[in-house]
Amino acid sequence: MLKISNLQVKYGKIQVIWGLDLEIPKGSVVGLLGPNGAGKTSTFASIAGLVSPFEGSILYNEVEVTNLNPAKRVELGISLVPEGRKLFPDMSVKDNLLLGSYQKRAKSKRKESLNRVLTLFPILEERLNQQARTLSGGQQQMLAIGRGLMSDPSLLILDEPSLGLAPIIVDDIFNAFKRINEEGVTILISEQHVHRVLEIIDKGYVIEQGRIALSGNAKELEGNKHIREAYLGI
Amino acid sequence: MNLDIIFNLILLGIIIGTIYSLIAMGLSLIWGVSRIINVAHGEFIVIGAYVTYYMFNTFHGDPSLYLIPSGLVVGLIGVIIQLLLYNRIVGRDHLTSLVLAFGVSIVLSGSMYILFTGNLRVVNSFYSEKSILIGSATVRWGAIYGFFIALILILLVFLLLEKTDIGRAIRAIAQDKDAAILMGINPQRIYLIAMFISAFLAGVSGNIVAVLYSFDPGVGESSYLGISFVITVLAGLGSIKGLILAGIFILTAQNFTSVYAQGLETAMGFLIMILFILFKPTGLFGKLLE
Amino acid sequence: MSTSDKNIPTETEQPSEQKWQYKGSNPLYSFFNELIFGMGTKKMIELLASPLGLIGVFFVVISVALPLLPNTGGLLQTFRFIFFFIALGESYNIIGGYGGEVDFGHVVFFGIGGYAAAITYVNYGLNLWLAFLMGGVIAALYGLIIGFPILRLRGAYFAVAMLAIATITQQVISYFSDFTGGGQGISTGKILSEFGDIYIAGYYLMLVASILAFIITHYVSYSRLGLSLRAIKESPEGASSIGINVLYTKLTAFIISAFIAGIVGAFNITILFVVTPDQTFPTALTVQMIIITFIGGGASVFGPVIGAILLSPLDVLLTQMLAGVSISLFGLKLDFSSGYIIIYGLIFILAILYLPKGIMGYFHDKGWVAEESIIDKDSVKIGNKRQLYPSWKETEIAKSETIDINKAGKEPTIGINKPGKEPPLILEVLNIHKQFGGINAVDDVTLNVYKNELLGLIGPNGAGKTTLFNIISGYYKPTSGTVLLNQKVITGIPFHKSIKLGIARTFQLVHVFPNLTVMENVLASAFNGRRESVSYTDGLSISVEALEFIGLEQLAHQKVSNLVINEQKKLELARVLAADPDVILLDEIIAGLNPSETEELMNIIRRIRNERGKTIVFVEHVMKAVMSISDRIAVLDLGKLIADGSPKEISKNAAVINAYLGSTASEVSKYVEN
C-alpha cells in the first residue's frame, strides 16, 4: 500500500533522514521502532506531506504522492495522528471530530464516521460538547485517534500514541487499534514501548539516526539485541 | 453626578460600545487567524465610509442600502491586498507584517486624500438628523441603526465561526496551524477567507461610521485604528464575548472620562490597554496575542 | 572555596610573562577607557581618513558655508530637512535598527523635548542653551520611566504600546493647560531676541543635531552596548543565556535614543513661534522616521543618513511639484497635493518586499561595505602561543597537571573516577517540583552533581529533562524545591544571572546570533557572562582562546549564518567556555549530527571536562553517545527520577528498561543477560 524508497529529509541545514526504505502491505499493522530523535516523526511528516523530502519517493497505492500537499493526501486516505495529539484545545470534542472530516470525500460520510468513532470510544459521546482541553490525557488521545478516523482513512499513522499515558489506558487504546485494523484500515505505528507494540504488529522496522537499522516480523524482533542497542545504547 | 447621567453614560456606552466591537472585530480576526496586525484596518473602515457616502449622494434612498456594497468593496480590496502583499511575507517574522501593513495604510490614506480630498464628509440622512429619547438620554437614530447592525453582524460572524465547516477551519488555523494542515485545511485559502471577512466587516463598519459621524481620510488612523487595538487587546484573541464586553467597557469608561476630564478619552482607552498588556496580556477571555 | 575569592589570582600564581592584565575591577574605568580609547574612536578616525569620511567632511563644510552664500533660501530649507531627518533617523535607528523593535510612538520623545525646552525657557526663564539641554535630558528621563515597563514587551505589543504612549502623552499635555498652554500652546517668540536670524540659527542647530546624533550612534554601534543590542535582536534567549540583561540593555539604548530625539525636538522650537501639541507630536513624523531608517538600512550608522539624503529632498521636490496639480476623472477631482505620501508608502512597501535590510543592508550583503563591528579583524591574533587567562589557572587541574590542549579525549584525571577521593558536591537539586496546568512535568526530583563529573540525563519523551534544565538555569521558577550551587541557593535567580553565578546552558535548537560573526558571538559572552567585568583586550584574548580550544579559530570572522550545524553547536560550546562557568548544561547538543560529527563533539566535551575542569550535565537521546561518555547517568520518567548510577548499572536497571521499552518484568529478564 505504501512504499518509501531512499527518503532523505533536511530541516534547514540539519539532515534527519538518510535514505530510508519502508514498505507497508495493505491491511497490515507495521511498527516503526526506535529511540527518541531517531527520525520517526520526520518519516511520518514526510508521508503526511508536512515536510517535503529533498530526495526519494513515496508511493501510495502505486501513486506517487511525494510532492502532493497534505490536503490531497488526506483526500487519498492518509491520516496522521500526530505525536502529542495536537488537538484544538479550545474547541469542543464534536468540533474536533468534525474537523477530521473536512475533506470532501470524508464529509459525505460524516455521519457514519462519527458513529464509528463514538462506538469505538463511547466516552467521547458523553463529552461531545466539552472543550478538548478539559479531557483527561487518555480521552484526549482517543479524541485524536477518533479525529484521525473521521477522514475515513485507509492508512492510519499513529505517532507515539501511548506517550504519557497510564498502562491501563494504553491497553484500551491498543485494543482499539486491533479493532480499527480488523475493519480494514492499514496501520503504521511508532512506539517507544516496544513490547506492547510487538504484540500487535505484523512487521516492524527499527530506525536509528535516520536510517533503517533492522526489520522483521514481531517474532524476529522480539528479544533481538539490536533493539536493546538502539534504545539503551549497549 | 446624578443617577440619570450615570444611566445615560452607560446606555450610550452599551450602544456605541457594541458598534466599536464590530469596528474592532476585523482587526482581531485577522490578527488571530493570519497573525497579521493589519494597521491598515482604520483605512479599510474609511474606504467603506466613502463607498456609502458616494453611493448615497448618487442614488439617495436609505443609507442601509449601501451597507452590503460597502462591505463587498472593502472585502475585495482586502482580498487583493492579501494576494498581492500579505501572502508574500508568510513565514517572515511578524514585525515584517506589521511594517508592511503600515506601508499599506500610508498608501491607502494617501490615495484617499487624492481621490476624495481632505474635506470632512457627512451623510445627511434621517439617521444623523433625528433622535429618540431613551429615558432621559437623547440617542441619534444613527446610533440605534449602528447598534442593531453591529449586533446582527456579530451574531452572524459568531454563527459562521461556530456552526460552519469554514468557521471551524478558521478557528482551527488560529489555534494550531500545523494540526489544521493535517486535517487537510489549506492555510492560504483560510487566510484569504479570513481577510475577506475582516475587510467586509471593516467596510460595513464604515457604513455605520458614515451614517453616524463626519469623516475624512485621516480618521481611519486617528479615530478607529487605536480604539480597535484597545478593544482587541482587552478582549483577548478568539473571543467574541470578549469583544462585545471590551467594546462596551472601553466606551463607557471613555464616556465617564469625558465628564471628569474632557480631552483625555482616547488617553484613557490607551491607558487601560497598556495596563492590560502589562498585567493581563491574555485579555478578558482570550489568548495571548503574538 | 567561595566563588568570590576564586577569581582573584594570587601573586605567586601569576605567570611572570602574562600578556594581559585583568583591568576589569572598575567597570566605570573600563567604560570610559573604552569610550575614549576604544573601537568607537578608532573607527571614527579611520572613517575621517577614508574617502567616504572626506566626502562627509566636505558636505559638512559646504553645509556650514551655505547660509553665507546669497540666494540659497530653498536649498537651506532642503538641507535643514535632511539634517532634521538624519538626527531623528539616528535616534530611531538605535531602538528600531540596532534594537530591532518597531516603535510606532517614537515622536513622543521629540515632543517631550520640545515642550521641556519651551517650558523651562519660557515659563522658568532658563538660559536657552540650558533649556535645549533640558529638552534632551527630560526626554531621556521620560524614556527611562516609560521604558522600564514597556520595554518588557516584545514585537507588536511594544509597537502598539508606544503608539498608545505617544497619544496619551499628547492628550495629557493638552489637558494640563495651566502648565502647557493646552491646545493654544506656548508662545516661543522670545527666541527671536536670541538670534539675528532664527531660520539660519535653526539651520545650524539642526546641523549640529545631525552631527551629534551621528557621532552618538557611531559610538553606540562600536561599543559593548551595540554588541549586546545586536545579540538581543538576533535571539533574546541566547542573549540572556550568555548573561546579557535584556531589559537594562534595551533601556540604556532607549534612553540614548530618547535623548537624541529630545534634543532635536528642543532645537526645533527655534523655528516654531508657538509650541502646540499638534505641531510637537505629529504622527507623520514617526512614519517618516521609520521609513527613512528602514530604507536607508537599520543597524547601520549610515542608514538614516542615506535614507534622509534620498527621501527628504524627494519629499520637498514632490511636494513642490504636486502642489495644486489636479486632474478630473469620471467627475472626481483628483488633487495630487499630498501625492508624495503615496510615493513614500510605495517605496516603503517595495523596500519591505525586495530590500528588507535597506540600502546599507544590501551593501553589507554584497560585501561592498563592511558591517560595523566592535572587533577589529587586524588586531585579533590567532594561532599565537598564549598564556591561559588567569581564572583558568585557578582550576585544580591547572595547578596539578600539565595541559596538552592538542590531545583529545584522554582519560579523566580528576573527579569521581579518581579512586579513593570523595568527590566534592557542586550542584544540588533538592525536591524540585514543576507543574504546568495540573501536570507534573518534574515531580520531586532530587539529584546531586559532583565536581568535574560528566552526568548524562536521559529519559523518554516528556520525561521532564529539559524542564529540569530550565529550572536549574533559572529559565523557569520551580513550583517548589531548591537548587544549590556551591552550597548557595540559586533557585529562582533571573536566567541572565545564572551564567555569572557559574551555570551555563545551551539549547536544543541553537540560540546563536546568526548575523553576528563567530568571534562577536563569543566576545558577547566574554563581556557579559563572566563573574568579573572584563576589559576589551582581555575579552578578545578570552574569545580567541575559547575558539582555539574548540577549534573554530579559522572561522572567527565568518558570519554565523554561514556555518553548518555542527560548527554552530561548537560555537555554542565556545561561547559557554568564554564565560568560564563551573557547571555546563548541554541540551541535546548532538541532535541532528552525523556519527563522525557526534564523535568530534563528544571529544570536545570530554576535553572541556578534563582540561578545563568543568562539570557537565547533558540531556541526550543518542544512547550510544550517552553510554560511552557519561561517568554517571540519571534517568527521568514522567517527571520522576527513576534511576541514577553508572552506565553499566543503568543499562541493566529494570525500571529504566521498562520506561524505555514498556516491558513487563518477565520480558525485562530477557534483556538483562548475565
Side-chain angles (χ1 to χ4, degrees):
Chain A
M1 168 170 260
L2 190 80
K3 188 171 188 304
I4 300 177
S5 26
N6 189 29
L7 185 74
Q8 305 207 32
V9 178
K10 268 186 190 175
Y11 291 111
K13 287 176 179 165
I14 309 178
Q15 178 155 3
V16 288
I17 304 289
W18 305 74
L20 179 139
D21 300 305
L22 193 77
E23 254 181 82
I24 303 173
K26 203 173 181 113
S28 63
V29 180
V30 172
L32 190 57
L33 315 175
N36 266 344
K40 291 172 294 186
T41 300
S42 304
T43 306
F44 291 170
S46 318
I47 301 174
L50 299 180
V51 298
S52 25
F54 74 94
E55 192 73 69
S57 80
I58 302 173
L59 291 180
Y60 174 78
N61 286 333
E62 319 284 308
V63 180
E64 172 94 33
V65 296
T66 323
N67 295 311
L68 286 187
N69 67 31
K72 293 220 173 82
R73 302 195 204 198
V74 176
E75 187 72 19
L76 285 173
I78 299 176
S79 179
L80 169 62
V81 179
E83 181 181 352
R85 309 190 266 272
K86 291 239 170 212
L87 296 173
F88 304 107
D90 294 329
M91 286 198 225
S92 67
V93 169
K94 189 173 178 187
D95 281 348
N96 268 278
L97 289 174
L98 292 180
L99 274 164
S101 56
Y102 181 78
Q103 282 299 310
K104 216 185 273 166
R105 183 176 57 83
K107 216 174 270 182
S108 61
K109 284 188 167 186
R110 188 174 261 180
K111 264 211 176 107
E112 295 165 45
S113 302
L114 194 61
N115 270 333
R116 176 187 180 192
V117 170
L118 297 180
T119 325
L120 199 60
F121 302 118
I123 186 82
L124 294 181
E125 181 147 33
E126 293 166 31
R127 307 191 177 226
L128 269 183
N129 294 315
Q130 248 170 273
Q131 278 198 334
R133 68 161 73 251
T134 64
L135 300 182
S136 73
Q139 291 161 1
Q140 288 194 12
Q141 187 60 55
M142 291 175 195
L143 177 55
I145 297 162
R147 191 182 63 179
L149 283 174
M150 287 295 291
S151 68
D152 189 32
S154 33
L155 173 64
L156 184 66
I157 306 170
L158 301 154
D159 195 358
E160 300 278 354
S162 73
L163 194 73
L165 299 183
I168 300 177
I169 294 163
V170 178
D171 286 344
D172 287 352
I173 288 178
F174 270 71
N175 284 332
F177 296 157
K178 279 184 206 158
R179 287 175 55 192
I180 293 167
N181 182 237
E182 280 157 15
E183 288 169 21
V185 179
T186 308
I187 292 180
L188 174 61
I189 182 170
S190 82
E191 257 298 327
Q192 288 205 46
H193 288 170
V194 179
H195 285 278
R196 259 205 222 274
V197 84
L198 285 180
E199 287 166 13
I200 64 164
I201 60 172
D202 303 313
K203 188 180 175 192
Y205 289 87
V206 178
I207 181 171
E208 230 178 297
Q209 293 197 317
R211 299 171 182 86
I212 296 294
L214 180 71
S215 68
N217 62 34
K219 263 214 177 98
E220 288 163 355
L221 291 178
E222 188 132 35
N224 188 299
K225 273 184 79 175
H226 207 96
I227 291 195
R228 189 177 151 202
E229 258 177 49
Y231 279 82
L232 297 174
I234 24 114
Chain B
M1 182 185 278
N2 66 34
L3 274 174
D4 252 11
I5 298 179
I6 294 177
F7 170 80
N8 290 349
L9 292 177
I10 293 177
L11 180 78
L12 278 175
I14 292 172
I15 293 174
I16 308 292
T18 307
I19 296 174
Y20 273 89
S21 301
L22 179 73
I23 285 174
M25 197 176 219
L27 181 80
S28 171
L29 183 76
I30 209 73
W31 191 341
V33 176
S34 316
R35 303 289 185 265
I36 287 172
I37 299 156
N38 187 19
V39 189
H41 185 68
E43 279 72 32
F44 280 18
I45 292 169
V46 181
I47 294 172
Y50 276 107
V51 174
T52 295
Y53 171 83
Y54 281 105
M55 291 189 82
F56 179 79
N57 280 2
T58 314
F59 305 113
H60 308 290
D62 193 287
S64 65
L65 292 172
Y66 313 121
L67 189 79
I68 304 295
S70 298
L72 289 177
V73 169
V74 181
L76 190 69
I77 292 173
V79 165
I80 292 169
I81 289 172
Q82 178 78 33
L83 290 174
L84 216 58
L85 297 174
Y86 292 166
N87 269 354
R88 286 166 176 252
I89 51 151
V90 174
R92 301 234 315 243
D93 68 305
H94 63 290
L95 283 180
T96 307
S97 83
L98 192 65
V99 286
L100 183 59
F102 183 59
V104 171
S105 151
I106 296 167
V107 172
L108 287 182
S109 72
S111 310
M112 283 194 285
Y113 275 110
I114 290 179
L115 285 168
F116 312 132
T117 75
N119 300 335
L120 270 184
R121 305 288 185 190
V122 269
V123 172
N124 286 312
S125 69
F126 160 77
Y127 298 111
S128 53
E129 287 153 4
K130 298 277 188 291
S131 319
I132 57 161
L133 213 59
I134 303 176
S136 62
T138 315
V139 184
R140 273 189 300 158
W141 274 107
I144 305 288
Y145 166 80
F147 174 72
F148 281 107
I149 299 289
L151 268 189
I152 292 166
L153 272 163
I154 291 171
L155 185 72
L156 284 177
V157 172
F158 176 79
L159 290 175
L160 173 84
L161 288 179
E162 290 291 325
K163 302 292 174 202
T164 68
D165 275 321
I166 286 292
R168 270 188 285 269
I170 291 174
R171 284 186 293 144
I173 288 279
Q175 283 186 29
D176 189 334
K177 186 180 157 193
D178 294 337
I181 292 172
L182 272 182
M183 303 298 106
I185 296 166
N186 179 350
Q188 297 290 339
R189 186 162 162 262
I190 297 299
Y191 293 157
L192 201 60
I193 293 170
M195 177 49 102
F196 176 78
I197 297 171
S198 166
F200 180 86
L201 292 173
V204 169
S205 308
N207 172 274
I208 298 173
V209 163
V211 165
L212 202 51
Y213 305 111
S214 58
F215 60 93
D216 66 36
V219 296
E221 196 252 321
S222 63
S223 305
Y224 299 111
L225 177 67
I227 191 94
S228 297
F229 271 129
V230 174
I231 293 170
T232 300
V233 168
L234 228 66
L237 285 188
S239 166
I240 289 181
K241 191 165 62 172
L243 272 180
I244 296 176
L245 285 180
I248 291 173
F249 175 70
I250 286 296
L251 265 292
T252 309
Q254 289 188 336
N255 285 346
F256 277 92
T257 311
S258 70
V259 175
Y260 287 106
Q262 195 170 14
L264 290 185
E265 296 88 345
T266 313
M268 176 55 80
F270 275 133
L271 183 67
I272 295 172
M273 179 187 82
I274 289 181
L275 292 176
F276 260 82
I277 293 182
L278 287 174
F279 299 110
K280 199 173 182 312
T282 52
L284 290 170
F285 290 101
K287 280 205 217 21
L288 205 61
L289 316 169
E290 276 171 62
Chain C
M1 186 156 39
S2 81
T3 44
S4 56
D5 55 35
K6 215 182 142 180
N7 307 315
I8 304 158
T10 55
E11 287 290 326
T12 49
E13 279 171 355
Q14 278 197 8
S16 50
E17 78 279 327
Q18 187 159 319
K19 273 191 184 163
W20 56 82
Q21 203 69 44
Y22 168 53
K23 299 194 196 75
S25 59
N26 187 348
L28 211 63
Y29 166 80
S30 182
F31 174 77
F32 282 108
N33 188 48
E34 272 180 52
L35 192 66
I36 300 162
F37 303 108
M39 196 50 67
T41 306
K42 188 167 179 236
K43 287 287 172 185
M44 186 57 88
I45 294 167
E46 276 180 28
L47 174 64
L48 288 176
S50 73
L52 192 64
L54 292 178
I55 295 171
V57 172
F58 177 69
F59 268 105
V60 171
V61 171
I62 290 201
S63 302
V64 171
L66 198 63
L68 308 174
L69 306 173
N71 299 325
T72 49
L75 209 55
L76 274 192
Q77 205 205 352
T78 308
F79 269 55
R80 204 192 75 88
F81 251 137
I82 295 174
F83 304 150
F84 181 71
F85 280 115
I86 288 175
L88 284 179
E90 295 293 4
S91 165
Y92 184 84
N93 192 14
I94 292 175
I95 197 71
Y98 294 96
E101 299 289 352
V102 173
D103 178 353
F104 279 161
H106 204 69
V107 71
V108 73
F109 302 117
F110 174 83
I112 289 281
Y115 263 96
I119 289 171
T120 50
Y121 176 67
V122 177
N123 296 10
Y124 295 99
L126 200 67
N127 172 291
L128 182 63
W129 298 97
L130 283 178
F132 285 156
L133 186 64
M134 286 304 281
V137 170
I138 290 175
L141 214 61
Y142 198 64
L144 173 68
I145 294 165
I146 61 168
F148 193 71
I150 301 295
L151 282 168
R152 290 162 207 269
L153 307 172
R154 278 191 194 173
Y157 271 139
F158 175 79
V160 173
M162 281 307 295
L163 176 73
I165 291 284
T167 311
I168 292 172
T169 310
Q170 184 182 6
Q171 287 208 331
V172 167
I173 283 179
S174 326
Y175 184 73
F176 291 99
S177 52
D178 292 351
F179 198 54
T180 62
Q184 303 290 309
I186 301 167
S187 167
T188 52
K190 208 175 124 189
I191 294 178
L192 280 172
S193 63
E194 304 264 355
F195 301 109
D197 181 334
I198 56 156
Y199 288 106
I200 291 179
Y203 172 88
Y204 279 124
L205 283 171
M206 272 317 146
L207 175 61
V208 169
S210 65
I211 295 172
L212 187 73
F214 182 87
I215 292 173
I216 292 176
T217 311
H218 172 91
Y219 271 90
V220 167
S221 179
Y222 289 104
S223 70
R224 293 177 189 213
L225 174 67
L227 181 63
S228 296
L229 273 176
R230 293 195 295 144
I232 292 170
K233 180 182 176 183
E234 299 285 312
S235 163
E237 283 80 15
S240 296
S241 83
I242 56 163
I244 295 173
N245 186 330
V246 173
L247 179 63
Y248 286 0
T249 306
K250 279 191 179 171
L251 200 54
T252 312
F254 204 49
I255 291 168
I256 295 171
S257 166
F259 177 81
I260 298 174
I263 288 282
V264 179
F267 283 175
N268 195 53
I269 67 168
T270 318
I271 57 155
L272 304 173
F273 294 97
V274 55
V275 173
T276 64
D278 289 343
Q279 269 186 314
T280 322
F281 291 93
T283 323
L285 208 53
T286 306
V287 176
Q288 279 162 306
M289 283 189 248
I290 294 176
I291 295 181
I292 280 171
T293 310
F294 194 96
I295 290 176
S300 164
V301 188
F302 285 103
V305 178
I306 291 178
I309 289 176
L310 288 180
L311 291 179
S312 305
L314 188 73
D315 185 340
V316 176
L317 207 70
L318 285 172
T319 312
Q320 282 168 2
M321 271 171 50
L322 295 172
V325 174
S326 64
I327 303 173
S328 281
L329 195 71
F330 307 121
L332 274 178
K333 189 167 169 283
L334 307 182
D335 179 359
F336 284 97
S337 301
S338 51
Y340 79 95
I341 293 186
I342 300 183
I343 295 174
Y344 244 64
L346 286 175
I347 294 175
F348 185 42
I349 289 175
L350 290 175
I352 294 167
L353 295 178
Y354 300 107
L355 209 61
K357 290 190 217 160
I359 293 169
M360 283 307 289
Y362 183 74
F363 287 179
H364 290 323
D365 287 350
K366 286 277 170 192
W368 296 342
V369 181
E371 281 185 59
E372 292 155 19
S373 171
I374 190 172
I375 296 170
D376 193 2
K377 282 182 199 172
D378 303 334
S379 65
V380 176
K381 303 266 187 300
I382 287 166
N384 287 8
K385 209 161 174 61
R386 57 187 61 244
Q387 216 74 48
L388 283 178
Y389 186 75
S391 73
W392 285 337
K393 285 273 161 202
E394 280 295 289
T395 57
E396 282 179 48
I397 17 161
K399 278 181 206 160
S400 55
E401 323 250 345
T402 353
I403 301 161
D404 182 356
I405 310 196
N406 299 316
K407 201 169 165 189
K410 62 178 181 178
E411 282 304 298
T413 50
I414 54 158
I416 64 159
N417 287 8
K418 200 158 188 166
K421 201 176 172 187
E422 177 66 25
L425 266 177
I426 189 157
L427 183 71
E428 293 160 79
V429 175
L430 299 171
N431 306 102
I432 289 290
H433 264 286
K434 178 71 188 177
Q435 286 199 326
F436 290 114
I439 294 162
N440 286 317
V442 175
D443 192 357
D444 198 23
V445 169
T446 295
L447 182 66
N448 284 335
V449 181
Y450 299 96
K451 197 154 196 254
N452 204 222
E453 80 172 322
L454 257 168
L455 173 67
L457 190 60
I458 63 170
N461 254 349
K465 300 166 305 238
T466 298
T467 310
L468 189 61
F469 263 25
N470 283 337
I471 290 168
I472 296 173
S473 61
Y475 198 71
Y476 291 158
K477 280 195 172 67
T479 311
S480 66
T482 317
V483 181
L484 295 162
L485 176 71
N486 289 318
Q487 283 89 48
K488 282 189 199 122
V489 178
I490 57 160
T491 330
I493 44 150
F495 180 48
H496 66 86
K497 281 197 181 142
S498 65
I499 194 166
K500 286 196 177 74
L501 291 172
I503 294 190
R505 75 163 292 180
T506 65
F507 293 88
Q508 200 170 335
L509 301 166
V510 285
H511 277 18
V512 291
F513 313 124
N515 283 313
L516 269 56
T517 66
V518 169
M519 182 91 173
E520 285 172 327
N521 267 265
V522 181
L523 187 63
S525 175
F527 281 159
N528 297 288
R530 300 179 72 95
R531 298 176 184 88
E532 77 280 11
S533 71
V534 169
S535 74
Y536 177 71
T537 40
D538 282 359
L540 283 187
S541 306
I542 290 168
S543 306
V544 170
E545 210 178 302
L547 287 174
E548 285 179 344
F549 185 88
I550 300 292
L552 277 180
E553 69 277 8
Q554 295 308 327
L555 299 173
H557 303 301
Q558 286 281 326
K559 246 191 186 189
V560 172
S561 51
N562 297 334
L563 264 54
V564 297
I565 187 68
N566 70 318
E567 290 165 344
Q568 293 195 8
K569 303 233 172 187
K570 284 199 237 170
L571 173 59
E572 276 212 321
L573 288 176
R575 215 166 61 168
V576 163
L577 264 190
D580 195 31
D582 299 324
V583 180
I584 301 173
L585 311 176
L586 304 174
D587 195 353
E588 293 200 36
I589 192 143
I590 60 171
L593 300 186
N594 68 33
S596 70
E597 291 166 342
T598 303
E599 186 70 15
E600 191 191 359
L601 212 63
M602 285 287 138
N603 274 330
I604 294 174
I605 292 169
R606 241 183 241 131
R607 283 178 52 224
I608 291 175
R609 190 272 293 272
N610 293 351
E611 295 167 22
R612 289 285 150 91
K614 304 292 175 212
T615 307
I616 295 170
V617 186
F618 63 100
V619 163
E620 207 49 73
H621 280 314
V622 181
M623 283 299 158
K624 269 183 195 154
V626 178
M627 289 292 167
S628 66
I629 195 177
S630 311
D631 298 320
R632 187 162 67 100
I633 293 175
V635 189
L636 286 176
D637 186 30
L638 297 172
K640 286 195 171 68
L641 187 73
I642 58 165
D644 173 6
S646 72
K648 244 199 171 129
E649 287 162 8
I650 292 298
S651 67
K652 289 178 184 160
N653 184 304
V656 177
I657 294 175
N658 190 29
Y660 269 91
L661 304 181
S663 323
T664 55
S666 66
E667 286 161 340
V668 169
S669 64
K670 277 190 253 171
Y671 285 85
V672 185
E673 301 153 31
N674 313 326

